[in-house]
Amino acid sequence: MAPTPPTDAELNVLIRARLAALGIDLDQLPPGTTPDPETGSPGRDSVLASLRSFVRGTVATLAAYQLPAPVGTDPEVANALSQQHVPVLYPSNSTEWRKA
Amino acid sequence: MRSEPFDRTVDRRAFLARAAALATASAVGATVGLPSVALASSSLSTNTGPGTRRRPLDQPNAYTEPRPAALAEPTELTIAEAAWLIRAGKLTPEQLVEAYLARISRYDGSYQAFNLVLADAAIAAARVAARRPRDGVLHGIPLAIKDNYYTEGVPTTANSFLFQDFVPPYDATAVARLKASGAIVLGKTQMGPLATTRATTPAGLITTVNAWAPTNPGTDPGGSSTGTATAVAGRMATSGIGTQTGGSITAPSNAQNLTGIKPTMGRVSAAGIIPLTYTRDHPGPLARDAKDAAIMLTAMAGEDSMDPRSQGLPQVPDLIDAASPVYHRRRVKLRWNTRIGVLPGFTNGTSPTALARAAYLAQLAAIPGATLVDVPLPDEWSLLTGNTFNNARLPERTEPFMPYLRTDLRGFGVSVTSWLQGALLGGNEFITTQRAKLLLLDRVLNELFDGCDVVVQTDPVPFDILGLPEIAFPIGATAAGLPIGTILGGLPYAEDRLLSVVAAYQAVTDWHLRRPADPPTDAGARGAAPAQAHRLTAEEVAELSQ
């Protein structure tokens, strides 16, 4: 069963916590939705709204993407075969390149 | 000159391997050794170092006798034409520099293309050039440099609060190579803050206008290499350089009637350029025609020990020859027989752009050696090249900026949101996109290019994602007189093929020779548009971000 989608408040906590874990304090930005008059940087509420949309859109969509298995693959083994699309070559290859 | 361009001799599997290795470097935040790209059937060796880099900047095809219309006005000359006059002793570098400085003094108040003009240094360099032996086609040619390229002893701001006091101790490799080839740096150009969106102040106030609509700041000049484009289009520099991560060379070139090349990933070193993304940043020229683009790229390209992305590539081919039209019985023909792939819907509709595209294809098809072929889009094209997958670039801009994000969020100005977005994209999703990127590349190389040698583009982003080369050039104008451009994409290292096609097209058309009227010098002329149209919001920047 799919989990219940997070609420705005829950996402705000997630976003603030993630940024804080990286050492980024969103409260550096001005409060509310009014941009900083000097630098043009957006208010933190505007940024939070944009970041919530990003998490619900980009992050969720990318996480849900399933690399395709070869055409004609038995659905029973499709997930396993989708792993064949590797993003990187193994370290042994890289070692060989450095020697070249 | 080779009898065939490089693109069909490069081992595609090796290009895939390089792309994978770059993904590795990005994913682990480290530098990796890259494999050489094998040549499938050639005795050509790869570059072995800067000393062996071929730089055919002093060959007959590099020089073009000036058009009569250009003889009366030095700022109208292309690089090839100005170099012809300099070689003939009919123009000095100092005269050329002074002509540009006069235009900058008169018109840059309206254009706002430069954020720093190096007038005294440029004149001094021109005088030095006059005393030196001429060393090639770029000898004494004044250039505009986007302000994210390091320039030794000269501020490099990337148009950001974060770098407003940064003075690099050395030149970016591309700048150093242009200067070593004899070029003169006229100044640093306005750009989208940190290479996002069109040129504004870091706080979002629009600065640079389109040279074709100088009194209307609402007319998009293209970004983020906006200032370079406006400087070249407005005849305030002979040529210039920019960078592209999501269309930042091709878009301003198309918007301002220029010919710009985004070369293959690694073809030009990105060392000494303030990064946006390690796997997507491409340095390249914005020029007045294909020949000038070839001259600039020839000077910039080649292996660099400071940038692993540039290592192990095929030797830079003779791009200047490639960009020189060839004739059979006084009729232009393509240098190499070329199948031009046309994507579904490229000419759909009745808009000025659609009509210009149809005319452009008809003119191309009439050139001997050109064959138009319909090609299908690879599976999942829209998804894998769309905004969501394009967002995979965001963590790469976040990671190198962490010290600034921790201490100075307001210093990012209107551009801060995308840097924070990158911090929220996890490794899981990032790896998925890297896997998908290689899947897309495999489909493009093995499906799309099986039917053609070059392919029309409707959006620069797909080939940005893949690191494949593309060239932007003018093909028409709207009823209001604004330029209409188009983009051709090629196989890995196909810059020579792309230049050869555009050179032939430009030999039978004159769109690239059109120049905008001079702007009014009255500073108040820019005040005609509503004030609110002069400022981009953070939301707009996030939407437009490169």
Side-chain angles (χ1 to χ4, degrees):
Chain A
M1 189 172 130
T4 304
T7 64
D8 280 3
E10 289 170 333
L11 276 184
N12 285 348
V13 171
L14 167 73
I15 291 164
R16 281 186 171 277
R18 166 66 179 166
L19 294 178
L22 301 180
I24 301 170
D25 180 6
L26 210 55
D27 289 345
Q28 293 179 66
L29 295 173
T33 58
T34 304
D36 181 56
E38 182 185 351
T39 65
S41 54
R44 69 186 71 136
D45 287 351
S46 300
V47 169
L48 270 173
S50 175
L51 296 180
R52 288 195 304 270
S53 174
F54 183 78
V55 172
R56 288 187 169 119
T58 293
V59 176
T61 302
L62 293 180
Y65 181 70
Q66 178 66 42
L67 269 291
V71 174
T73 298
D74 182 343
E76 289 292 317
V77 295
N79 283 350
L81 289 183
S82 78
Q83 296 175 347
Q84 301 309 305
H85 297 281
V86 291
V88 297
L89 300 184
Y90 290 113
S92 58
N93 300 60
S94 176
T95 302
E96 285 304 306
W97 298 336
R98 289 195 189 95
K99 285 195 242 167
Chain B
M1 190 68 192
R2 287 167 54 79
S3 59
E4 287 296 325
F6 267 112
D7 52 5
R8 288 292 173 189
T9 62
V10 169
D11 184 334
R12 297 180 188 186
R13 292 182 61 82
F15 185 77
L16 282 165
R18 283 186 56 83
L22 284 171
T24 309
S26 179
V28 303
T31 297
V32 297
L34 294 179
S36 295
V37 171
L39 295 173
S41 59
S42 171
S43 60
L44 286 171
S45 62
T46 57
N47 294 333
T48 56
T52 62
R53 196 161 57 89
R54 190 176 176 209
R55 301 174 64 183
L57 288 170
D58 196 21
Q59 53 154 297
N61 270 336
Y63 301 89
T64 301
E65 186 172 357
R67 293 156 289 142
L71 285 171
E73 174 49 63
T75 63
E76 169 60 27
L77 298 164
T78 64
I79 294 175
E81 290 172 330
W84 191 95
L85 288 174
I86 290 173
R87 184 176 64 172
K90 297 178 178 176
L91 178 71
T92 67
E94 189 172 350
Q95 288 171 325
L96 190 57
V97 166
E98 286 181 341
Y100 281 115
L101 290 176
R103 272 192 74 82
I104 292 169
S105 176
R106 186 168 178 79
Y107 296 120
D108 201 40
S110 297
Y111 287 134
Q112 296 186 33
F114 288 92
N115 66 12
L116 181 65
V117 178
L118 301 166
D120 292 343
I123 290 174
R127 288 174 178 160
V128 169
R131 294 195 298 270
R132 282 186 179 163
R134 191 181 49 79
D135 50 7
V137 67
L138 278 172
H139 178 91
I141 300 296
L143 303 180
I145 308 296
K146 187 177 181 180
D147 200 27
N148 56 350
Y149 285 82
Y150 286 11
T151 40
E152 182 181 0
V154 173
T156 296
T157 71
N159 200 12
S160 167
F161 295 123
L162 302 176
F163 295 97
Q164 60 187 348
D165 300 318
F166 177 51
V167 179
Y170 57 88
D171 284 327
T173 297
V175 173
R177 287 180 173 172
L178 288 165
K179 288 165 70 174
S181 300
I184 293 170
V185 176
L186 266 182
K188 305 295 289 292
T189 54
Q190 284 284 11
M191 54 183 283
L194 290 167
T196 60
T197 194
R198 65 179 285 186
T200 69
T201 68
L205 285 170
I206 287 175
T207 54
T208 314
V209 295
N210 189 321
W212 293 79
T215 59
N216 184 6
T219 300
D220 189 357
S224 65
S225 307
T226 315
T228 295
T230 300
V232 178
R235 293 189 286 123
M236 296 190 294
T238 314
S239 190
I241 58 175
T243 54
Q244 173 155 325
T245 302
S248 288
I249 290 174
T250 51
S253 293
N254 279 170
Q256 303 211 45
N257 215 54
L258 300 176
T259 301
I261 287 189
K262 181 203 84 73
T264 312
M265 165 57 65
R267 182 51 100 192
V268 176
S269 168
I273 298 174
I274 294 171
L276 197 55
T277 71
Y278 292 120
T279 63
R280 298 265 304 266
D281 290 352
H282 302 84
L286 293 85
R288 295 185 182 173
D289 61 15
K291 176 67 70 66
D292 280 11
I295 291 168
M296 293 288 287
L297 186 56
T298 299
M300 299 167 74
E303 183 169 311
D304 177 17
S305 61
M306 296 294 289
D307 186 349
R309 292 165 289 194
S310 70
Q311 297 167 11
L313 308 184
Q315 193 173 42
V316 180
D318 194 330
L319 301 171
I320 296 173
D321 265 1
S324 302
V326 292
Y327 295 84
H328 178 66
R329 294 179 181 169
R330 297 187 177 182
R331 186 181 177 196
V332 172
K333 65 170 188 174
L334 284 190
R335 179 172 290 274
W336 301 294
N337 290 337
T338 298
R339 296 167 298 165
I340 296 149
V342 181
L343 296 173
F346 182 68
T347 57
N348 279 4
T350 57
S351 68
T353 296
L355 297 176
R357 286 175 171 179
Y360 147 68
L361 289 182
Q363 285 166 310
L364 265 187
I367 299 173
T371 306
L372 300 187
V373 291
D374 291 326
V375 292
L377 288 171
D379 287 348
E380 297 183 296
W381 175 263
S382 296
L383 175 68
L384 297 178
T385 64
N387 193 50
T388 300
F389 275 80
N390 189 26
N391 280 339
R393 73 201 186 286
L394 298 178
E396 296 183 69
R397 71 175 56 169
T398 302
E399 185 272 338
F401 282 83
M402 284 305 295
Y404 302 96
L405 290 164
R406 291 190 179 106
T407 59
D408 193 9
L409 276 188
R410 294 187 197 210
F412 288 82
V414 289
S415 306
V416 69
T417 307
S418 61
W419 267 264
L420 293 170
Q421 289 171 337
L424 298 176
L425 198 62
N428 188 50
E429 300 83 59
F430 185 78
I431 294 295
T432 295
T433 59
Q434 297 307 315
R435 296 175 70 202
K437 174 177 175 175
L438 290 177
L439 174 73
L440 174 66
L441 181 57
D442 190 51
R443 287 175 177 170
V444 168
L445 295 183
N446 291 320
E447 297 173 16
L448 190 60
F449 278 116
D450 264 1
C452 63
D453 302 301
V454 298
V455 62
V456 301
Q457 303 287 296
T458 56
D459 182 344
V461 169
F463 275 33
D464 277 338
I465 291 175
L466 297 174
L468 298 178
E470 51 190 0
I471 186 167
F473 54 103
I475 59 168
T478 67
L482 295 176
I484 295 173
T486 197
I487 305 171
L488 266 184
L491 282 156
Y493 317 109
E495 290 87 1
D496 53 354
R497 171 96 69 177
L498 293 171
L499 285 163
S500 73
V501 173
V502 178
Y505 175 77
Q506 292 183 337
V508 298
T509 57
D510 65 358
W511 298 111
H512 62 292
L513 297 176
R514 301 188 182 197
R515 307 281 185 258
D518 291 337
T521 53
D522 173 13
R526 288 189 59 172
Q532 60 269 27
H534 292 200
R535 184 161 196 158
L536 297 186
T537 66
E539 290 75 19
E540 289 171 322
V541 170
E543 185 70 24
L544 297 170
S545 199
Q546 300 296 305

